[in-house]
Amino acid sequence: MSVKVRRIKVLIVEDQPIAAMVTHAMLLELGHHADVAVDGKDALEKYPNSYDLIFMDIGLPDMTGIEVTAEIRRLENSQKHTPIVALTAYTDQELKLACRAVGIEEIIHKPANRETLKEVIVKYCNDKSILTFEK
Amino acid sequence: MGSISYQPNIASQVSHDLRIPLTGILGMTYFLNKTQLTPEQKRYVSIIEAEVTRLLALEDKLHTLVQNH
């Protein structure tokens, strides 16, 4: 049995090139479109492109993924809510609280495998407008 | 902007910094597995993955130990 998910547009916010490369490759394999932002400033510049899902690294060079998310939520102003999932190597409890406070849906720990990414996409992007695109 | 922030303590930062290159290695084994590998090479890649996974689990334990100390 396979789940049919529409082709979505994902923003990967990640400063480490290797990590970005792997996540990007996995998302392309799953049949989706993915852009990469290399820091907070880049993420906020790319955000207006309108994404179905954002994978947010927390440890960025210019600001934390928490601050980037807070700014995105501010820009959204309750008019929309882009699913933002933290994809991070930070595993502590303090991060959980901070993520909840800014409206991050959940935390995925690095390394994430393709199945985990797929589950996240199905969970947050599997809405009624499903096309019969399948991978 | 709101005042929500995240400041990792030193144990979390060290844990994070240890996980990053380990994650990088697993990323490379992921790409290696997508190339044409001989059975012998597949075996070596599989061992690299197993060892790195062990390291990550150990790192997790260490992080918990340090945090609770």
Side-chain angles (χ1 to χ4, degrees):
Chain A
M1 192 192 82
S2 56
V3 182
K4 293 171 165 64
V5 190
R6 64 192 166 93
R7 180 187 224 101
I8 62 165
K9 219 167 111 184
V10 184
L11 178 62
I12 303 165
V13 185
E14 173 62 66
D15 64 317
Q16 311 265 348
I18 295 172
M21 188 166 73
V22 175
T23 309
H24 188 264
M26 287 179 177
L27 287 170
L28 256 58
E29 275 168 34
L30 290 169
H32 304 294
H33 173 92
D35 292 333
V36 176
V38 300
D39 57 29
K41 180 162 171 283
D42 194 13
L44 293 170
E45 276 167 16
K46 291 194 159 85
Y47 165 73
N49 292 333
S50 200
Y51 293 95
D52 298 295
L53 175 66
I54 300 176
F55 283 111
M56 183 73 70
D57 182 30
I58 298 298
L60 300 166
D62 53 352
M63 58 184 90
T64 68
I66 298 295
E67 290 163 286
V68 179
T69 303
E71 181 58 15
I72 288 174
R73 294 297 181 226
R74 194 191 69 82
L75 291 167
E76 287 180 330
N77 197 26
S78 304
Q79 302 300 319
K80 62 191 285 207
H81 182 94
T82 310
I84 299 178
V85 172
L87 181 50
T88 178
Y90 287 110
T91 59
D92 58 280
Q93 286 297 107
E94 282 76 12
L95 180 61
K96 271 202 187 126
L97 300 169
C99 285
R100 205 167 293 153
V102 293
I104 283 175
E105 325 306 324
E106 68 180 272
I107 301 170
I108 307 285
H109 292 129
K110 288 178 186 167
N113 58 44
R114 207 177 70 180
E115 272 315 297
T116 305
L117 296 182
K118 185 176 180 183
E119 281 164 22
V120 166
I121 290 168
V122 167
K123 189 171 177 183
Y124 298 106
C125 301
N126 206 18
D127 63 21
K128 294 180 186 65
S129 63
I130 296 172
L131 305 173
T132 54
F133 180 81
E134 162 186 318
K135 198 86 179 182
Chain B
M1 223 196 284
S3 54
I4 302 163
S5 68
Y6 168 67
Q7 187 57 44
N9 61 38
I10 188 139
S12 292
Q13 189 59 53
V14 172
S15 164
H16 168 273
D17 293 347
L18 267 169
R19 289 183 79 90
I20 294 290
L22 293 174
T23 302
I25 295 170
L26 286 183
M28 293 304 103
T29 56
Y30 176 76
F31 282 129
L32 266 172
N33 275 330
K34 282 164 9 119
T35 66
Q36 290 278 49
L37 295 174
T38 65
E40 188 190 3
Q41 289 169 329
K42 278 193 184 131
R43 216 183 107 236
Y44 295 148
V45 171
S46 174
I47 293 170
I48 292 171
E49 286 180 323
E51 296 294 84
V52 173
T53 304
R54 270 177 65 193
L55 270 171
L56 280 166
L58 255 167
E59 186 284 317
D60 223 16
K61 273 200 192 123
L62 191 62
H63 181 227
T64 308
L65 253 169
V66 173
Q67 290 279 41
N68 295 335
H69 181 70

